[in-house]
Amino acid sequence: DSGVTQTPKHLITATGQRVTLRCSPRSGDLSVYWYQQSLDQGLQFLIQYYNGEERAKGNILERFSAQQFPDLHSELNLSSLELGDSALYFCASSVGIGDGRGETQYFGPGTRLLVL
Amino acid sequence: GDSVTQMEGPVTLSEEAFLTINCTYTATGYPSLFWYVQYPGEGLQLLLKATKADDKGSNKGFEATYRKETTSFHLEKGSVQVSDSAVYFCALRARRQNFVFGPGTRLSVLP
């Protein structure tokens, strides 16, 4: 158990809909990262928040957005869903801002999203 | 940009066989290197890491050595078990950069 929790575990929805994925980082971790894992694209970094502020952006679509709240939990919002958005979405956390090369990220169990 | 290349799987071995999963990288500067493992139905777990050239990371019988001259970080284990069946990801992180993961290598160990 990494200490990172994600809800829900599974989500089934229809095209065009909007969903919210939730992540609670490990106790004491200030950074939260979101990743998308799909069969054809592998593991793709989406976005990072540090202590409530957006820190880094990766391959995140404009239809997707995220935020980190004062209690440090984070939400990833996916809207106007398409079939191709079906994937595993992972949240990870780390203690610091992420500048250190050796800083480890701890992953949650993921949310499996299926868009029908 | 930075990238990680891993041998394509799946890799199928018999129990107690020797394991090597190759990983090479391209990066500016001197990144840290990681191996993560993903067991079925679970998230990624850090297996081992190395932060500078010639460092050897090791954990649970797995080991990998940071080779700057060949830009490689191959994962090895002397005797695999059925419980090692999982997907293994090589990753790098340069200073002030995000993690870059390889495509993953699926390992199946047969009894």
Side-chain angles (χ1 to χ4, degrees), chain B residues 40-86:
Chain B
E42 297 183 15
L44 278 72
Q45 301 174 25
L46 177 66
L47 183 58
L48 53 85
K49 71 178 185 182
T51 58
K52 62 182 188 296
D54 300 325
D55 267 3
K56 178 186 280 189
S58 60
N59 185 26
K60 299 181 182 179
F62 291 90
E63 58 182 37
T65 302
Y66 189 140
R67 301 283 188 206
K68 190 162 78 85
E69 62 277 9
T70 55
T71 62
S72 65
F73 193 54
H74 304 322
L75 182 69
E76 296 182 336
K77 187 175 184 184
S79 176
V80 293
Q81 305 300 312
V82 172
S83 58
D84 294 326
S85 298

Side-chain angles (χ1 to χ4, degrees), chain A residues 5 7 20 24 29 40 42-44 49-50 52 60 63 71 76-77 79-80 89 101-102 104:
Chain A
T5 60
T7 56
T20 297
S24 292
D29 283 1
D40 55 344
L43 195 62
Q44 299 281 320
Y49 279 80
Y50 173 77
I60 188 166
R63 299 184 285 108
D71 67 352
L76 178 67
N77 300 296
S79 61
S80 302
Y89 290 85
R101 291 181 304 117
T104 300

Side-chain angles (χ1 to χ4, degrees), chain B residues 75-108:
Chain B
L75 182 69
E76 296 182 336
K77 187 175 184 184
S79 176
V80 293
Q81 305 300 312
V82 172
S83 58
D84 294 326
S85 298
V87 181
Y88 292 82
F89 292 89
C90 184
L92 68 81
R93 186 173 205 185
R95 187 169 171 76
R96 297 182 184 275
Q97 301 295 319
N98 300 312
F99 267 79
V100 175
F101 286 87
T105 301
R106 182 174 300 276
L107 170 66
S108 294

Side-chain angles (χ1 to χ4, degrees), chain A residues 19-85:
Chain A
V19 297
T20 297
L21 313 182
R22 183 188 167 102
C23 167
S24 292
R26 290 189 326 154
S27 176
D29 283 1
L30 298 178
S31 275
V32 169
Y33 309 77
W34 286 98
Y35 291 86
Q36 180 192 59
Q37 186 181 36
S38 59
L39 282 174
D40 55 344
Q41 298 278 339
L43 195 62
Q44 299 281 320
F45 167 71
L46 297 178
I47 196 163
Q48 177 200 356
Y49 279 80
Y50 173 77
N51 205 20
E53 300 288 328
E54 184 182 301
R55 174 70 185 166
K57 236 174 182 176
N59 302 322
I60 188 166
L61 300 173
E62 284 191 16
R63 299 184 285 108
F64 296 179
S65 64
Q67 54 184 327
Q68 187 180 28
F69 295 86
D71 67 352
L72 301 177
H73 91 271
S74 177
E75 293 181 355
L76 178 67
N77 300 296
L78 314 177
S79 61
S80 302
L81 284 167
E82 303 174 359
L83 296 177
D85 297 327

